[in-house]
Amino acid sequence: MTGLLDLLNSPMGKQLISGVAGQTNQSEDKTANVLSMAMPLILGAMKKNVSTPEGAQGLMSALSSSNHNGGILDNLSGLFGGGVDDSVMADGAGILGHVFGNKQPQVENALSQKSGLDAGSVAQILKIAAPIVMGFLGKQTAQSNVSDGSGMNALLGSMLGGQPQENQSLITSLLDADGDGSILDDVAGMVMGSNKSKGGLGGLLGGLFGK
């Protein structure tokens, strides 16, 4: 099982960081910093969504599409070669809207403050990162033969494993819809199977993503 941190530290991750930095005209160091926070946040939001049957079904449906089966990871040089295609950016914007909902500006501002990049650049990085995270998840889903919500919940937990404490705190503060300070019981992969918070992002994927 490959986690997000393994991906970012791999040759593919370095290619990803370099490509996103070139696309957004930002330094590779700052781009890597944003990606190391943004990608776990996207997965964390997905993990919160799959705690409802509707959210799990919506995510599974989205992952079954040809856009999100992992093919994007096989041609990163093509993705960044002439600038990221508008359709990829639009796909990213759609994914972010579904997983973050009305918290998206809050996420962008928080990442901007932590990274020192302006919120506009952060928003661009997020739009590129989202389809790549989906592709990565799609590939892992196929390799692990995940076919239901509980399997997806466990997979997302393992992919989020090993996150530094700072990332766990960021996920908690941005995605804790009921404000009780919990990591949504399991969003950082510590506990499985409980859905404490019904509001906020929960269930957004179902009814939006898969239709």
Side-chain angles (χ1 to χ4, degrees):
M1 174 54 55
T2 306
L4 273 183
L5 295 180
D6 299 321
L7 172 68
L8 283 172
N9 288 325
S10 70
M12 182 189 293
K14 291 177 173 48
Q15 189 180 9
L16 168 60
I17 291 164
S18 172
V20 175
Q23 177 75 18
T24 55
N25 296 315
Q26 300 295 339
S27 72
E28 290 194 12
D29 283 349
K30 286 191 173 181
T31 301
N33 190 21
V34 173
L35 284 171
S36 71
M37 293 184 287
M39 293 171 80
L41 268 173
I42 293 168
L43 274 187
M46 289 178 180
K47 193 171 195 314
K48 178 169 168 32
N49 276 286
V50 300
S51 61
T52 68
E54 301 82 13
Q57 183 56 50
L59 181 57
M60 297 293 291
S61 297
L63 290 171
S64 67
S65 82
S66 58
N67 284 348
H68 303 137
N69 61 7
I72 192 170
L73 300 173
D74 299 329
N75 189 24
L76 288 180
S77 59
L79 175 67
F80 295 116
V84 177
D85 190 88
D86 286 346
S87 65
V88 175
M89 299 293 279
D91 184 37
I95 294 166
L96 295 172
H98 296 323
V99 298
F100 290 138
N102 60 9
K103 288 181 180 276
Q104 188 172 337
Q106 195 179 335
V107 170
E108 291 169 358
N109 289 331
L111 292 179
S112 173
Q113 289 169 11
K114 285 187 171 291
S115 66
L117 289 183
D118 64 277
S121 296
V122 168
Q124 289 289 98
I125 291 172
L126 281 169
K127 283 179 192 172
I128 302 169
I132 289 169
V133 170
M134 284 289 285
F136 185 50
L137 179 58
K139 189 163 273 195
Q140 296 286 338
T141 299
Q143 288 174 358
S144 304
N145 293 318
V146 172
S147 59
D148 57 26
S150 61
M152 180 60 70
N153 192 42
L155 174 64
L156 286 164
S158 65
M159 289 172 68
L160 280 163
Q163 290 296 322
Q165 186 61 44
E166 185 180 355
N167 276 0
Q168 291 180 24
S169 300
L170 189 64
I171 291 171
T172 304
S173 62
L174 288 174
L175 302 182
D176 180 15
D178 57 3
D180 66 353
S182 77
I183 309 179
L184 302 171
D185 298 328
D186 66 353
V187 79
M190 301 302 166
V191 184
M192 295 295 172
S194 172
N195 180 27
K196 190 170 179 181
S197 174
K198 304 289 187 192
L201 300 169
L204 269 176
L205 275 174
L208 284 174
F209 226 157
K211 297 194 187 290

